[in-house]
């Protein structure tokens, strides 16, 4: 069973569909033509490039090339996490990279080597989409964790200082904010596991079913990916925050505000 | 006699602004001192510098003759009670706020008893019933006395007080004075209140980050 192709004229038909929401938005007075146009164009170009790149990756299926792809994804994720969390990239880059690289490699390896067990572990068909999906979700979590932690530390500076003055070590004094930040980071994953299949069909499962897989197989893969996302997000957030504690404070446990971008 | 606090030509520059400039003074055990001057003259900064919250640009701060370094700052903080104008209780209710420091490794072994809690509250004119009260319903003046009670429970000997009597009525103020009449306790405070100034044997006057005058009177 193969998925039916979408031919060029039909692709054009898809873009024509965009005219309908565009017209409706225009009628209610929302002038978003520019934003919509740019977004659709970006989506198309970016996915086109990814398509070309993935096609090459799959055709060559070279372990080094696959590894390089994961490395590039990690580096892009690293910079993107820190930018979005409002932290200065050059100070925290290594800490965040260590956190996401170790957690992604661990959970992807666990999934591929122990659970799926393909003939070749480095098979692009498995590691590329799985590592990519885990990383994409892990990224969200790390942005939330770092942003929440440092903004609540700044907001509660007096409380943090009070803890220090009452004899707390740096770790003891930041612990309440640390816990809150990790909780905020993993809550979306926990909530999405709880409603999985009820509210919407998960993207990966839909993709597999469209691709011709048995629903049962798709269900098992969906469970696998969710557990890996949950695991790697938790590990990455904790390592990331922990490592950042060594960077963001001066030796007297005072937060170095200059390492955090003003919002 | 070894000093408790000694500032030796201490300057603090933060964000290209001079906060303290060439400050030198010594405070011995049991002495009660007050820093006064206009707002922005650096009074609170002296307290914060001693606690390692401002990076010293030049000069040295000594606590019990040991220089302030990352290694010694924990000792200074654990021997010192800092009480600001609006102290943070850091817990849901007053009892938890009083017991908060005893969660930390440094004080875990010294949990106070219920009676000790009540006694210390009484010394500061606070009713035992306040223990159950929600932190959000505590007034500024009560917070200051609770923070002070927390310092007393921890057995601290050095008190850094920033405008502590400003929010207190006459009775509570008297209670605070009584606590600090203890010759074992050393006080470095920031205040405008004339009654408080009168009770401090040493008055440091600050102007634009400089120590301009030191006044001593013999019977506080």
């Amino acid at each position: 069973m193969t998925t039916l192709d979408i031919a060029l004229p039909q692709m054009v038909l898809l873009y024509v569909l965009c005219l309908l929401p565009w017209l409706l938005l225009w009628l209610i007075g929302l002038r978003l033509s520019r934003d919509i146009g740019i977004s659709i164009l970006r989506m198309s170009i970016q996915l086109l490039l990814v398509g070309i790149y993935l096609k090459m990756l799959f055709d060559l299926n070279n372990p080094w090339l696959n590894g390089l792809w994961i490395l590039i994804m990690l580096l892009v994720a690293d910079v993107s996490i820190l930018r979005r969390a409002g932290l200065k990239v050059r100070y925290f880059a290594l800490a965040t990279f260590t956190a996401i690289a170790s957690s992604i490699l661990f959970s992807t390896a666990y999934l591929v080597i122990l659970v799926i067990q393909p003939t070749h572990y480095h098979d692009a068909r498995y590691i590329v989409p799985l590592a990519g999906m885990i990383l994409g979700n892990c990224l969200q979590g790390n942005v939330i964790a770092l942003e929440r932690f440092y903004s609540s530390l700044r907001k509660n500076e007096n409380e943090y200082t009070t803890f220090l003055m009452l004899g707390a070590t740096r770790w003891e004094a930041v612990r309440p904010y640390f816990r809150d930040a990790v909780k905020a980071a993993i809550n979306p994953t926990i909530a999405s596991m709880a409603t999985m299949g009820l509210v919407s069909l998960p993207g990966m499962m839909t993709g597999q079913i469209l691709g011709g897989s048995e629903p049962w197989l798709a269900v098992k893969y969906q469970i696998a990916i969710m557990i890996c996302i949950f695991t790697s997000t938790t590990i990455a957030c904790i390592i990331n925050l922990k490592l950042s504690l060594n960077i963001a404070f001066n030796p007297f446990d005072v937060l170095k505000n200059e390492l955090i971008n003003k919002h | 006699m070894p000093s408790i606090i000694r500032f030796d030509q201490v300057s603090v520059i933060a964000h290209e602004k001079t906060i303290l400039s060439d400050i030198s003074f010594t405070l011995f055990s049991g002495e009660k001192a007050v820093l006064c001057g206009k707002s922005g003259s650096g009074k609170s900064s002296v307290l914060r510098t001693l606690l390692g919250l401002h990076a010293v640009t030049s000069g040295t701060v000594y606590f019990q003759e040991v220089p302030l370094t990352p290694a010694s700052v924990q000792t200074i903080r654990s021997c010192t009670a800092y009480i600001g104008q609006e102290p943070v209780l850091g817990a849901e209710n007053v009892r938890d706020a009083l017991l908060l420091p005893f969660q930390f490794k440094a004080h875990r072994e010294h949990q106070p008893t219920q009676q000790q809690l009540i006694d210390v509250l009484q010394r500061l004119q606070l009713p035992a019933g306040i223990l159950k009260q929600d932190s959000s319903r505590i007034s500024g003046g009560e917070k200051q006395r609770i923070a002070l009670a927390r310092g007393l429970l921890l057995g601290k000997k050095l008190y850094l007080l920033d405008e502590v009597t400003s929010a207190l009525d006459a009775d509570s103020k008297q209670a605070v004075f009584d606590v600090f009449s203890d010759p074992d306790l050393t006080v470095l405070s920031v205040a405008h209140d004339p009654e408080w100034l009168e009770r401090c044997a040493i008055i440091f006057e600050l102007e634009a980050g400089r120590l301009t005058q030191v006044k001593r009177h013999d019977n506080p």
Side-chain angles (χ1 to χ4, degrees):
Chain A
M1 192 162 81
T2 50
T3 318
L4 295 173
D5 194 9
I6 302 180
L8 196 61
Q10 280 76 32
M11 274 311 287
V12 174
L13 219 53
L14 269 177
Y15 285 103
V16 171
L17 183 60
C18 294
L19 293 175
L20 182 62
W22 174 79
L23 187 68
L24 287 172
L25 293 171
W26 188 77
L27 281 176
I28 62 165
L30 278 176
R31 300 289 182 263
L32 293 171
S33 307
R34 206 181 117 86
D35 290 345
I36 297 171
I38 290 176
S39 294
I40 291 174
L41 194 70
R42 276 191 63 163
M43 169 182 78
S44 309
I45 294 173
Q46 285 163 10
L47 288 180
L48 187 75
L49 291 174
V50 170
I52 294 169
Y53 189 64
L54 283 182
K55 179 92 176 73
M56 192 179 76
L57 215 60
F58 278 66
D59 286 347
L60 294 172
N61 205 4
N62 176 310
W64 292 106
L65 208 62
N66 296 346
L68 182 70
W69 174 83
I70 293 179
L71 181 70
I72 293 171
M73 289 285 274
L74 285 169
L75 288 171
V76 173
D78 186 9
V79 174
S80 150
I81 287 169
L82 292 171
R83 285 238 175 93
R84 283 163 59 187
L87 300 179
K88 294 255 164 79
V89 176
R90 73 191 142 111
Y91 297 100
F92 295 93
L94 188 63
T96 297
F97 184 82
T98 311
I100 56 175
S102 57
S103 74
I104 299 296
L105 292 183
F106 169 73
S107 52
T108 309
Y110 192 98
L111 182 58
V112 173
I113 297 174
L114 294 178
V115 181
I116 301 175
Q117 303 184 340
T119 335
H120 302 292
Y121 293 142
H122 59 262
D123 199 338
R125 205 182 130 208
Y126 293 98
I127 60 166
V128 168
L130 293 173
M133 238 185 118
I134 297 172
L135 180 60
N137 285 274
C138 198
L139 185 141
Q140 300 288 344
N142 277 274
V143 172
I144 298 174
L146 289 175
E147 203 280 326
R148 179 67 72 91
F149 181 72
Y150 286 102
S151 66
S152 62
L153 203 53
R154 279 167 66 132
K155 207 168 66 196
N156 298 296
E157 205 191 332
N158 273 335
E159 189 182 60
Y160 167 73
T161 319
T162 303
F163 293 153
L164 287 181
M165 295 309 130
L166 290 174
T169 58
R170 182 190 302 174
W171 170 236
E172 284 174 325
V174 301
R175 207 155 41 187
Y177 319 113
F178 193 99
R179 283 199 194 120
D180 281 354
V182 173
K183 190 172 164 210
I186 60 166
N187 254 347
T189 313
I190 294 176
S192 94
M193 286 197 289
T195 56
M196 188 122 291
L198 294 178
V199 183
S200 65
L201 274 188
M204 189 178 85
M205 222 172 104
T206 318
Q208 271 190 305
I209 292 172
L210 280 175
S213 290
E214 279 292 320
W216 269 123
L217 188 67
V219 164
K220 285 192 271 186
Y221 268 84
Q222 186 62 39
I223 292 173
I225 199 79
M226 286 312 295
I227 290 177
C228 286
I229 287 172
F230 176 54
T231 309
S232 67
T233 308
T234 309
I235 297 175
C237 290
I238 291 175
I239 297 181
N240 203 351
L241 286 174
K242 265 285 206 182
L243 291 177
S244 79
L245 290 180
N246 301 326
I247 302 162
F249 294 83
N250 75 11
F252 295 97
D253 306 319
V254 179
L255 185 65
K256 293 188 207 159
N257 273 321
E258 64 274 19
L259 301 194
I260 299 163
N261 293 318
K262 301 254 157 33
H263 286 288
Chain B
M1 188 166 67
S3 64
I4 294 277
I5 302 171
R6 185 154 67 88
F7 273 55
D8 184 19
Q9 298 181 306
V10 173
S11 295
V12 172
I13 300 170
H15 306 294
E16 286 152 33
K17 220 184 122 215
T18 304
I19 295 174
L20 297 180
S21 166
D22 200 24
I23 300 259
S24 297
F25 71 89
T26 310
L27 203 64
F28 293 98
S29 176
E31 285 187 320
K32 316 285 189 273
V34 60
L35 296 149
C36 56
K38 289 200 211 88
S39 69
S41 59
K43 306 179 300 280
S44 301
S45 301
V46 172
L47 306 186
R48 295 177 61 85
T49 304
L50 176 64
L51 294 167
L53 298 174
H54 283 310
V56 172
T57 314
S58 66
T60 314
V61 174
Y62 295 89
F63 175 75
Q64 294 178 335
E65 294 299 325
V66 178
L68 169 66
T69 60
S72 68
V73 71
Q74 184 96 36
T75 319
I76 300 181
R77 287 173 183 165
S78 65
C79 295
T80 309
Y82 171 81
I83 297 152
Q85 298 184 41
E86 180 90 1
V88 177
L89 295 185
E92 295 281 307
N93 61 48
V94 174
R95 176 196 298 277
D96 290 349
L98 285 172
L99 293 176
L100 174 72
F102 300 97
Q103 288 173 19
F104 304 137
K105 239 186 352 254
H107 307 297
R108 207 172 279 161
E109 315 288 300
H110 308 100
Q111 292 278 346
T113 61
Q114 172 77 6
Q115 195 51 49
Q116 283 173 305
L117 293 182
I118 295 171
D119 287 349
V120 78
L121 289 175
Q122 218 159 33
R123 268 179 84 186
L124 293 162
Q125 303 266 322
L126 290 165
I130 204 171
L131 280 174
K132 287 194 225 80
Q133 255 187 56
D134 212 75
S135 294
S136 58
R137 301 170 58 95
I138 300 293
S139 74
E142 285 169 330
K143 275 187 191 163
Q144 292 183 325
R145 281 177 288 158
I146 290 163
L148 191 52
R150 198 152 56 180
L152 293 170
L153 284 170
L154 290 166
K156 303 221 181 191
K157 297 284 182 234
L158 172 61
Y159 288 80
L160 304 180
L161 311 174
D162 199 340
E163 296 284 3
V164 162
T165 53
S166 56
L168 298 183
D169 59 49
D171 285 348
S172 345
K173 214 192 252 183
Q174 189 55 48
V176 171
F177 290 149
D178 290 346
V179 165
F180 291 116
S181 61
D182 183 342
D184 277 348
L185 304 183
T186 310
V187 174
L188 180 59
S189 57
V190 169
H192 292 105
D193 177 13
E195 260 190 277
W196 181 264
L197 294 183
E198 217 169 279
R199 284 167 186 269
C200 292
I202 308 168
I203 299 174
F204 296 118
E205 272 181 28
L206 287 171
E207 209 181 302
R210 290 181 172 279
L211 187 57
T212 50
Q213 205 180 0
V214 183
K215 283 189 250 173
R216 287 172 187 272
H217 42 110
D218 292 329
N219 15 311

